[in-house]
Amino acid sequence: MSRTLSFARLDYLTIKPYLTLKSMTLLLIVIAFVSFGTGEASMLIGMLMMYGTIYASYPFAVGEKNGIDTLYATLPLKKSNIVAGRYIFAIFLNISTGAVAFAVSAIIMPVLREGFNWKETLITVIICLFIFSVLESIQLPIYFKFGYAKAKFLAYLPLAFFPAAVITISAVAGKENSLEFLNNVILWAGENVLLTVIIAVVLWMLLLLSSGLLSYRFYKDRQF
Amino acid sequence: MNNILEISHLNKRYEEFLLQNVSFSVPQGYIMGFIGPNGAGKTTTIKSILGMVYPDSGTVKILGSEISSENTEIKDDIGVVMDLPFYVDEWKIKDVEAAVSPFYSRWNSKVFADFVRKFGLIQNKKVKELSRGMKVKLMLAIALSHEAKLLILDEPTSGLDPVARDELMDILRDYMLDETKGILFSTHITSDLEKIADYITFIINGKIVFTGQKDKLLESYFLVKGGISDLNSLQKKLIIGYREHSAGFEGMIKAENIGMLPENIIFEKISLDEIIIYMNKEGTSHE
Amino acid sequence: MKIIISNRSATPIYEQIKEQIKESIYSNELKEGEMLPSIRQLAKDLKISVITTTRAYNDLEQEGLISSVQGKGFFVEPKNHELIREKALCEIESSFATAIKVAKMALISKDELQIIFNTIAKEEEYE
């Protein structure tokens, strides 16, 4: 386990040089632009966490450019340490950008609108966390299989499917039956908060676990 | 005598290249030179040792334990130096240490700091700002700071000037004062090995053509030169890598065959480089 | 002890080391019981391989000039005066034989040769 965590830290060190003042400033400008333009907390949170997801692919990009797989091969590291470490790094990145997004909303929203609804914001952050986890669960195995350069295009395809998925879901939801079903689900969730949270967490973990296992299978066979 | 590294019957097929039944060992306490022309299979062999490529068959044992993608504990005992660094370009030297040190059970920061100072590296410099020689020294400093028992060097001198190469050799000699250590030193610049190596493994076209004591290799061949008419056709066949030019012939001969040639032929001591050249000529002329 | 290695010499390196250590022992520069540098240290200092150095030391040991003490190193053996005398006589004989051979070829008489011997002996203060 400690090797896996050390590897997650190595991933952080890999992208650290790219967390520069310049890129952070750029990020701030984007935040300012989005928040003043839309006044919507959810847009702001989505944008910020999107950044987190992009950074989650940086260890692949930066590593490949620098031949870092050779470094991994010189260290007492199992391939399972590498895969698990990278997932931990990605999750850590998502959660910390989520926390930042929450904090930024708490600061900016009262200025833009009359108030800050922390409950609503928290739910938005969690939903975003879920969505981006799904995206990463698809992306990481692709990167592990093909490497960054080859997979770059492929890995961003799911992103293009998102709007399509949203449209499909809303179309389905538009029908009366499903609307009723959805309402029931929301109602049930409202009544059983704890159970809902547990189910959500379990689903989230299952998703990451199966994605991780797939990544490991791909990466194990990879030669350099 | 214990072997620090033992490679047996390694086979690996690529589309355009075949590693065939590669076997050799590095005895504890000695330096093994791994030589051969570019593309002969040196790097593929080293990548197999490190688990970066999976051989189709064969085993690699380091200090008696077999290496695989999930058995990597033994890498705690290995230091690796390549011709190009495998660290993030933007890392400073202290970042490199921070990145790798947690993985080694015997990492010694003080030793590393001493090497950094001794090698004239500067902690705040980025990897990409280092000269070729400095990059090699950085890899070496990492390799020497966790009490590695086996050093694996893949073409470490290819981009270095003579002064930097000499410094590297001195560091390796220091390392070898401890008789429990061992070095596998792959290079196509054989002058580096001419003096320092105890053993030589020689690979051509994916096959091992010699592995054993360097002195024995150098004693078992001679350089021959003479006039074209000096040899009959049978004698010519004894010459390895026989080549004729306007004023005579030259080639290499096995020491035991010297007596079969006429007395007016000139015999000279051979170098590793010349052995590679003539063996390679012979290898390609048979195809 | 002084050892100088020539990489360009036709004599193998281990042979060069051997001869020079021998000379140091004969000339009493290396005294009985004195410790020689370790194989690895000498290999490092001379910039040669460990095996080459080992070979030189092993040969010297076989000839009875040095001995190894397990875990400690190599030491100069007590001098065998008989052996040294034997070896010296051998060398003298062969040098004289060469001198006589050359003299014969150049038609130099035995008396003349004797005179040369005496002159050199005087010059070298050998009485």
Side-chain angles (χ1 to χ4, degrees), chain B residues 20 22 37-38 44 55 78 109 123 127 130-131 166 196 198 200 243 251 271 273 278 280:
Chain B
Q20 274 180 79
V22 167
N38 281 332
T44 305
I78 308 178
S109 286
Q123 291 276 14
V127 172
L130 299 175
S131 70
D166 193 55
I196 200 176
D198 298 294
I200 292 286
R243 191 179 76 90
S271 68
D273 249 351
Y278 288 112
N280 202 37

Side-chain angles (χ1 to χ4, degrees), chain A residues 3 6-7 9-10 13 16-18 66-68 70-71 73-80 216 220 223-224, chain B residues 12 47 52-54 69-70 72-73 75 80 82 86-91 95 98-100 102-104:
Chain A
R3 292 232 161 104
S6 299
F7 184 82
R9 184 167 160 275
L10 200 166
L13 287 169
K16 198 184 86 177
Y18 297 88
N66 294 286
I68 210 163
T70 307
L71 173 64
T74 66
L75 296 171
L77 261 176
K78 296 181 172 102
K79 284 196 166 174
S80 51
Y216 175 64
K220 203 177 66 176
Q223 300 183 39
F224 298 95
Chain B
K12 175 77 182 171
K47 283 184 168 181
M52 297 176 76
V53 302
Y54 302 136
S69 71
E70 290 301 302
T72 53
E73 267 333 285
K75 287 183 185 170
V80 182
M82 303 258 180
F86 32 72
Y87 310 121
V88 175
D89 261 353
E90 298 283 339
W91 275 348
D95 294 325
V100 304
F103 296 100
Y104 293 115

Side-chain angles (χ1 to χ4, degrees), chain A residues 71-116:
Chain A
L71 173 64
Y72 301 161
T74 66
L75 296 171
L77 261 176
K78 296 181 172 102
K79 284 196 166 174
S80 51
N81 295 139
I82 295 173
V83 173
R86 185 142 304 165
Y87 273 78
I88 288 172
F89 173 70
I91 295 164
F92 167 78
L93 209 56
N94 285 336
I95 291 176
S96 45
T97 45
V100 170
F102 186 84
V104 170
S105 304
I107 296 164
I108 290 181
M109 283 307 138
V111 182
L112 290 179
R113 292 198 304 195
E114 49 266 43
F116 169 68

Side-chain angles (χ1 to χ4, degrees), chain B:
Chain B
M1 188 156 45
N2 289 328
N3 289 325
I4 198 157
L5 172 69
E6 220 173 287
I7 295 171
S8 12
H9 310 294
L10 223 54
N11 286 284
K12 175 77 182 171
R13 180 181 291 276
Y14 285 106
E15 254 169 56
E16 313 205 329
F17 175 74
L18 195 61
L19 203 63
Q20 274 180 79
N21 207 25
V22 167
S23 299
F24 66 90
S25 306
V26 181
Q28 204 158 25
Y30 296 100
I31 299 179
M32 168 70 80
F34 191 29
I35 62 173
N38 281 332
K42 300 193 295 289
T43 296
T44 305
T45 306
I46 285 177
K47 283 184 168 181
S48 304
I49 299 170
L50 293 175
M52 297 176 76
V53 302
Y54 302 136
D56 301 330
S57 62
T59 55
V60 175
K61 279 186 184 169
I62 294 170
L63 288 159
S65 97
E66 195 175 324
I67 213 151
S68 72
S69 71
E70 290 301 302
N71 181 18
T72 53
E73 267 333 285
I74 199 68
K75 287 183 185 170
D76 205 16
D77 292 322
I78 308 178
V80 182
V81 177
M82 303 258 180
D83 62 337
L84 291 171
F86 32 72
Y87 310 121
V88 175
D89 261 353
E90 298 283 339
W91 275 348
K92 291 175 179 164
I93 287 166
K94 54 184 181 186
D95 294 325
V96 176
E97 185 188 5
V100 304
S101 57
F103 296 100
Y104 293 115
S105 65
R106 297 183 302 271
W107 181 264
N108 191 328
S109 286
K110 199 190 159 294
V111 169
F112 181 69
D114 285 348
F115 275 120
V116 165
R117 202 172 321 117
K118 197 172 138 196
F119 292 170
L121 293 161
I122 296 156
Q123 291 276 14
N124 268 321
K125 266 211 167 168
K126 287 180 177 174
V127 172
K128 65 172 181 188
E129 294 163 352
L130 299 175
S131 70
R132 188 94 186 225
M134 285 296 182
K135 284 174 177 165
V136 170
K137 282 181 180 168
L138 174 59
M139 285 185 275
L140 201 61
I142 296 283
L144 295 174
S145 298
H146 58 96
E147 294 177 29
K149 293 215 170 65
L150 169 66
L151 286 190
I152 296 176
L153 316 173
D154 189 13
E155 304 280 1
T157 52
S158 61
L160 301 190
D161 61 54
V163 176
R165 263 163 49 197
D166 193 55
E167 282 172 354
L168 175 67
M169 293 303 139
D170 269 338
I171 296 158
L172 298 183
R173 283 186 198 102
D174 253 338
Y175 179 77
M176 288 313 295
L177 282 176
D178 182 344
E179 61 202 65
T180 63
K181 310 264 167 96
I183 298 179
L184 176 65
F185 190 149
S186 160
T187 182
H188 64 271
I189 303 169
T190 55
S191 56
D192 293 338
L193 297 173
E194 203 90 42
K195 287 198 247 167
I196 200 176
D198 298 294
Y199 292 85
I200 292 286
T201 294
F202 183 7
I203 188 168
I204 286 183
N205 293 328
K207 277 187 274 191
I208 303 288
V209 291
F210 175 88
T211 180
Q213 286 190 13
K214 178 197 68 190
D215 292 353
K216 290 217 171 108
L217 177 64
L218 289 175
E219 282 164 19
S220 55
Y221 292 100
F222 282 89
L223 205 63
V224 276
K225 293 171 182 170
I228 294 169
S229 56
D230 291 344
L231 300 183
N232 61 35
S233 62
L234 256 149
Q235 288 168 327
K236 266 184 201 168
K237 280 200 180 127
L238 295 173
I239 313 284
I240 300 161
Y242 180 86
R243 191 179 76 90
E244 274 180 14
H245 50 83
S246 60
F249 79 89
E250 56 182 35
M252 183 171 80
I253 188 162
K254 280 192 174 153
E256 70 243 39
N257 290 336
I258 278 186
M260 326 253 296
L261 297 190
E263 273 194 15
N264 54 345
I265 301 280
I266 290 175
F267 299 100
E268 281 176 1
K269 226 169 120 179
I270 205 154
S271 68
L272 284 176
D273 249 351
E274 287 157 342
I275 295 179
I276 293 190
I277 292 165
Y278 288 112
M279 288 269 202
N280 202 37
K281 261 188 200 152
E282 190 72 4
T284 44
S285 68
H286 277 317
E287 274 171 14

